[in-house]
Amino acid sequence: MRSLVETVEKIAAHDVNVLLVGETGSGKDHLADVIHRCGPRSECQLVRIDCPAVPPDLFESELFGHEKGAFTGAYGRKIGRIELAGGGTLYIDEVTALPSPLQAKLLRVLQERSISRIGGSRPIEVDIRVIASTSVPPARLADGSELRKDLFYRLNVVTVEIPPLRARRADIPQLARLFLREAAREAGRRISGFSEDALDLLRSHSWPGNLRELRNVVQRAVLLETGPSISLASLPFDLISAPELVSAAAEERWSLEELELRYIREVMRRTRGNYTRAAELLGINRKTLLEKRKRYGLG
């Protein structure tokens, strides 16, 4: 992450196109905003187009705009996102969802620095910086199967790859505390931090939804927590599974005893302290579970 931050600091000040690559929820939107605000176009606006959210028949109008009467339902002039971003930055979220014919038109805009509204007769000059993002791995981008090669090379002046949250578990406590401060402020709650058990659970989860999932989990916990800090009971029951726990154990070099302790503790949490049900899930009898409880000092 330090390397990523250094890269962003270097490229933000230069007026070049940037391609952000990372899994869903990894923070591409936030990074695009940072690059814009730290760049030479920060006085102008950042205009975003969320490609997966745009209906296919509206794509061209959203990007390029249209003149009154250009098609049925065009009751007035519409300024497209590219034109709106003039002088500033156009952020194209999930650019691979852009239909192929529009990828060709976008390439022409980047080359000629001009657009024509649908139904318009004269070209309109545009001065924009483009930041694009995608969750498609770089290898698939380069082969042209997801994005036109010529457009990929035009956007790919600088590529910034954002690592998934599971690849930087050491960041999880700090990020969780940041999201906690934000959520507590919004909810008007006074919650100081996390219990150690809660932090252990957050560290061990694989976070397939990355930062977005972590933020949502913390926001939920803030609403459910009744004490002064986030406890294990306020976190979702399905936050961790046995394979994820084993993966975390291997990565952090837990002992077999520590892995067993954490797994028993998690199962007890899920069953709300029901020893009979917990024993069934663990595949042991109730007496053995009670012995382990005494051995590990579980409450």
Side-chain angles (χ1 to χ4, degrees):
M1 287 303 297
R2 280 195 294 270
S3 175
L4 183 146
V5 170
E6 289 172 1
T7 299
V8 169
E9 287 176 344
K10 290 175 182 176
I11 66 173
H14 298 281
D15 199 20
V16 296
N17 296 335
V18 180
L19 181 63
L20 305 176
V21 180
E23 294 181 4
T24 299
S26 59
K28 298 187 293 294
D29 291 8
H30 176 68
L31 202 57
D33 184 59
V34 169
I35 292 171
H36 170 72
R37 286 190 289 109
C38 295
R41 297 174 179 265
S42 59
E43 296 299 318
C44 298
Q45 62 180 332
L46 171 72
V47 177
R48 171 180 171 172
I49 181 164
D50 184 3
C51 293
V54 179
D57 57 336
L58 296 180
F59 249 126
E60 189 169 6
S61 176
E62 282 296 311
L63 274 174
F64 300 96
H66 62 252
E67 298 290 354
K68 180 179 179 180
F71 50 83
T72 303
Y75 300 115
R77 172 183 289 175
K78 176 184 174 65
I79 305 300
R81 303 291 178 93
I82 296 174
E83 194 173 345
L84 283 173
T89 303
L90 177 68
Y91 173 43
I92 308 174
D93 190 17
E94 292 299 340
V95 65
T96 53
L98 197 63
S100 185
L102 289 184
Q103 289 187 20
K105 287 192 173 185
L106 177 61
L107 176 65
R108 207 156 49 242
V109 171
L110 297 178
Q111 291 172 336
E112 300 174 3
R113 296 288 174 174
S114 68
I115 64 166
S116 293
R117 300 190 195 111
I118 300 173
S121 58
R122 67 179 184 86
I124 301 167
E125 291 187 4
V126 290
D127 173 29
I128 57 172
R129 177 185 198 173
V130 175
I131 301 176
S133 74
T134 179
S135 55
V136 175
R140 279 168 50 197
L141 289 174
D143 67 14
S145 60
E146 303 281 347
L147 192 67
R148 287 177 58 109
K149 283 189 175 183
D150 44 9
L151 179 57
F152 169 67
Y153 292 128
R154 177 68 65 166
L155 293 173
N156 188 32
V157 177
V158 179
T159 296
V160 178
E161 291 189 49
I162 307 172
L165 191 53
R166 63 181 174 277
R168 44 189 177 111
R169 294 183 187 274
D171 292 345
I172 290 173
Q174 183 177 353
L175 289 166
R177 292 185 186 103
L178 170 66
F179 296 150
L180 173 60
R181 287 195 297 272
E182 293 175 352
R185 183 172 59 250
E186 290 174 4
R189 301 290 308 279
R190 296 176 66 89
I191 300 177
S192 59
F194 297 83
S195 69
E196 280 304 314
D197 284 350
L199 278 180
D200 285 345
L201 184 57
L202 294 179
R203 288 191 195 98
S204 63
H205 186 50
S206 65
W207 300 109
N210 292 293
L211 297 179
R212 188 175 298 143
E213 182 186 3
L214 176 59
R215 186 192 293 270
N216 290 343
V217 164
V218 172
Q219 287 176 335
R220 173 189 182 276
V222 166
L223 297 178
L224 297 179
E225 184 57 59
T226 57
S229 62
I230 301 297
S231 64
L232 207 57
S234 297
L235 298 177
F237 288 153
D238 59 351
L239 198 59
I240 193 168
S241 66
E244 290 169 354
L245 194 61
V246 171
S247 175
E251 184 176 324
E252 299 180 23
R253 299 184 180 181
W254 296 346
S255 66
L256 185 60
E257 186 176 75
E258 186 175 7
L259 175 60
E260 182 181 52
L261 166 61
R262 289 175 185 251
Y263 190 54
I264 291 174
R265 182 185 288 157
E266 171 60 17
V267 172
M268 290 298 300
R269 184 184 71 86
R270 290 191 189 194
T271 58
R272 299 178 183 267
N274 185 322
Y275 280 88
T276 301
R277 177 60 181 149
E280 290 176 0
L281 291 174
L282 291 165
I284 58 179
N285 60 49
R286 193 172 187 275
K287 181 181 177 182
T288 301
L289 178 56
L290 290 172
E291 290 172 352
K292 289 182 180 293
R293 171 196 174 192
K294 184 177 180 181
R295 174 184 172 190
Y296 290 126
L298 295 171

